[in-house]
Amino acid sequence: MSSPKETGKHPGAEAGVSRRGFLEVTGVGGAVVGTVVLDQPAQAQGAGARALGPGAVPITLNVNGKALKATVEPRMTLLDTLRGPLDHTGAKRVCDRGTCGACTVMMDGKSVYACTILAIDAQGTKIETVEGLTADLKNDVLINAFVEHDAEQCGYCTPGFMVAAKALLKENPRPTFAEVEAGLSGNLCRCGTYVGLRKAVLEAAQKGRA
Amino acid sequence: MQAFTYANPKTLKEALASLAGSWDEAAVLAGGTDLLSLMKQDVYAPKKVVNIKGLKELKGMERTGDGGFRIGAAVTIDELMKNRLLGEEFPALRAAAQGITSPQMRNMGTVGGDLCQRPRCWYYRNGFGLLATGTDGKSLVPSGENEFHAILGHGNKAFFVSASSFGPALVAYGAKLKIASASGVREVNAEDFFRVPASATEREVDLKPNEILTEIVLPVSRGSQSATYEVRQKEAFDWPLVTASVMVKLSGGNVSEARIALGHVAPTPWRSKEAEQAITGKAITEASVESAATAAVAAASPLSQNAYKVQLAKVALKRALLAAKG
């Protein structure tokens, strides 16, 4: 995989900028800091669509209601782009192959694995990360229910479960126990806090707004 | 993952022109759940990736003029599962979608992607090629870890199983697939789309590098009863061990027509004409489904670790037939 950590090929790294600080991203129109040399887009063949890359290309992602800009290679995943250039580290990188659910984010209101989506391909969609979905830490019914029911131990899977649970309750505000089980089936917890997680989601549903 | 270029065509025509004559040149990207894992594991490294998710020609589900149903290849598994009309008329397809257990996978994965995904065989996924060959050119599977491999149709050569969840149901319904290329559109029976590759460079589906699977067309389901039964190792997110999809027509209480396909037992969805023959003309009873199931696995040649799948295939088929009877 092409994570900045593994390959050191983070576009910003070449310009001598720290990984995190490479692209200081603000709201709409936020300036891109750092000098990035873009590859020339490959020539279009026949009537085919213009091919971008393989070097870094500028992209814009709608993350938690803000248009964020980054410059990444087409092979960068949405997860690595969120966690690296865009500094949204809530979604976690664990299995990196669409199995564990720690990277779960919402795309156009549906839960998806950010590790198995290309960042360039996520343009034009509405992305919501755990940061955006849990902005009101004190009054969030689901967060309080997670705390109440010990729905976490080491906590590394928690952001993914939180987003998966939000997606579940958004679609089905009054799920049965079986529906909660099925709705969380795309997320793994190695500590085994499933009992607490399911109770928390059920309680949040009963309390109404999550 | 190796570097590649990315193309985002706006029309099917443009998408087809963006593809190439070899798989190494260009790959089609829809949901990406399979393609990205293949690329991450360096099993596949196309030079260009062509996104087809946005093509309107590949979207939507609707009734066809003759009362059948059309499903765009880029429809997500979640969209298919939640389509009420489709679920009522084609319950075997809905059950297959429900079997894909993770909501995230259903939200991302597409129907066309399910049909075109590469096998899950761990030899293939770890770089030993589609036919899992060792240095002597022979398959590593028979003497290796083969608990999830084929029990039917492997010809002692292609031991992987087709990973498609919808394949068996589409074969049971007699669906057709539409495949577009720059030179036009061709139609293939779902049953003929899947094939056993003669060499590791061939694909296990009837698709060329410059073609795109655009839609699935289901025939009229009125007058038929159908079901899919799936056996998994665990209830949560997992691949099926065995599935069975059946479509039967009953006349005077007896089966007048049957189409039966097993999944995850062979390199293709495995149509069992033996089972169809065994159940045709009979009422669906405990005894008749037993004989159909026995017929379905009569030719099975399991490997060292997967004889258990023979019994699972029988059970899945019996339960699917009983479920279709209602």
Side-chain angles (χ1 to χ4, degrees), chain A residues 54-180:
Chain A
V57 292
I59 64 167
T60 306
L61 295 174
N62 179 340
V63 182
N64 301 326
K66 287 180 182 168
L68 305 184
K69 293 177 188 297
T71 304
V72 298
E73 293 180 27
R75 64 175 164 174
M76 276 278 270
T77 62
L78 173 59
L79 177 65
D80 289 342
T81 305
L82 284 170
R83 291 181 54 79
L86 300 183
D87 202 15
H88 281 56
T89 54
K92 299 288 181 262
R93 190 183 203 251
V94 181
C95 77
D96 200 32
R97 53 192 59 194
T99 299
C100 74
C103 67
T104 302
V105 298
M106 275 204 229
M107 182 178 267
D108 291 334
K110 301 263 183 190
S111 62
V112 295
Y113 296 133
C115 74
T116 307
I117 292 172
L118 298 174
I120 194 170
D121 211 33
Q123 294 182 101
T125 69
K126 193 178 156 211
I127 297 152
E128 291 167 279
T129 68
V130 71
E131 289 93 338
L133 290 165
T134 57
D136 186 1
L137 285 173
K138 265 193 183 159
N139 300 310
D140 191 301
V141 176
L142 193 58
I143 291 178
N144 288 329
F146 266 50
V147 173
E148 188 70 22
H149 291 280
D150 280 341
E152 61 214 344
Q153 192 169 313
C154 83
Y156 210 68
C157 69
T158 307
F161 269 104
M162 182 63 67
V163 178
K166 292 262 179 189
L168 165 66
L169 293 175
K170 184 178 174 208
E171 196 171 293
N172 181 1
R174 291 281 182 279
T176 62
F177 184 78
E179 285 167 345
V180 171

Side-chain angles (χ1 to χ4, degrees), chain B residues 265-287:
Chain B
V265 295
T268 64
W270 184 254
R271 182 165 176 201
S272 178
K273 292 193 176 168
E274 298 84 355
E276 292 170 7
Q277 215 168 357
I279 198 79
T280 302
K282 297 190 183 126
I284 296 178
T285 62
E286 295 275 347

Side-chain angles (χ1 to χ4, degrees), chain B residues 19 36 54 131 138 152 164 223 249-250 315:
Chain B
L19 296 177
L36 261 67
L131 300 180
K138 287 183 185 159
L152 282 159
S164 173
K249 288 184 180 167
L250 296 173
V315 170

Side-chain angles (χ1 to χ4, degrees), chain A residues 31-43:
Chain A
V32 176
V33 178
T35 312
V36 180
V37 179
L38 302 186
D39 279 14
Q40 287 301 313
Q43 287 297 311

Side-chain angles (χ1 to χ4, degrees), chain A residues 1-2 42 45-55 73-77 96-101 104 110-113 115-118 120-121 123 160 164 171 182-187, chain B residues 1-10 13-15 17-20 25 29-34 36-37 39-41 48-49 51 53 78 82 101-108 235-237:
Chain A
M1 252 309 291
S2 64
Q45 305 163 344
R50 194 168 67 111
L52 302 168
E73 293 180 27
R75 64 175 164 174
M76 276 278 270
T77 62
D96 200 32
R97 53 192 59 194
T99 299
C100 74
T104 302
K110 301 263 183 190
S111 62
V112 295
Y113 296 133
C115 74
T116 307
I117 292 172
L118 298 174
I120 194 170
D121 211 33
Q123 294 182 101
E171 196 171 293
L184 300 180
S185 67
N187 294 66
Chain B
M1 187 158 25
Q2 300 298 310
F4 53 81
T5 62
Y6 169 90
N8 190 24
K10 298 287 176 266
K13 198 178 163 196
E14 205 183 25
S18 304
L19 296 177
E25 287 299 318
L29 169 69
T33 58
D34 189 37
L36 261 67
S37 30
M39 294 197 299
K40 284 182 186 184
Q41 284 191 263
K48 177 161 68 173
V49 162
N51 173 37
K53 276 186 296 297
D78 183 64
K82 287 176 182 156
T101 31
S102 145
Q104 289 94 326
M105 277 292 164
R106 289 194 302 258
N107 291 336
M108 300 163 73
E235 291 221 354
F237 190 15

